Amino acid sequence: MGDVNGDGMLDTVYLYGQFDGPPGIYAENITLVIHDGRSTKSTTVHLKNNAGYKARLFLAYFNKDGVLAILVSCDAVGRGGSRIFYTVSFGNNR
């Protein structure tokens, strides 16, 4: 949870995926969902490379606008130990 749209209210950020085996290991259709704490509307972000191992979600200040950004990372499938990273900025719900 954190204010990812800059309206001063806590938003809830979810990372979903479909697991074929134990949860938390390998997932397909990894999707980011942002639930706005003020309006209660949800926004779904479909990631281009949406399969991998150990998908993780992290909220942090990556620039000086005072709004938390979203970092999604996962270990890539069949790419020799590489990782996939997405940084998502959702200021003003865009």
Side-chain angles (χ1 to χ4, degrees):
M1 292 182 73
D3 181 13
V4 297
N5 62 6
D7 67 359
M9 298 285 292
L10 287 179
D11 308 304
T12 306
V13 184
Y14 301 94
L15 192 59
Y16 290 101
Q18 294 175 329
F19 295 100
D20 184 21
I25 304 296
Y26 174 78
E28 294 180 331
N29 299 319
I30 298 170
T31 305
L32 180 66
V33 177
I34 304 161
H35 184 79
D36 185 335
R38 183 176 301 276
S39 72
T40 70
K41 293 181 181 180
S42 292
T43 301
T44 301
V45 179
H46 298 282
L47 306 174
K48 183 177 177 183
N49 295 308
N50 63 359
Y53 294 91
K54 300 178 185 173
R56 295 168 293 281
L57 174 68
F58 182 73
L59 304 180
Y61 297 102
F62 289 110
N63 55 41
K64 296 181 182 184
D65 65 0
V67 178
L68 287 167
I70 304 163
L71 175 67
V72 176
S73 65
C74 68
D75 298 339
V77 178
R79 296 198 179 158
S82 63
R83 289 192 170 155
I84 299 168
F85 294 93
Y86 288 97
T87 304
V88 180
S89 176
F90 196 64
N92 297 316
N93 294 317
R94 293 185 280 149

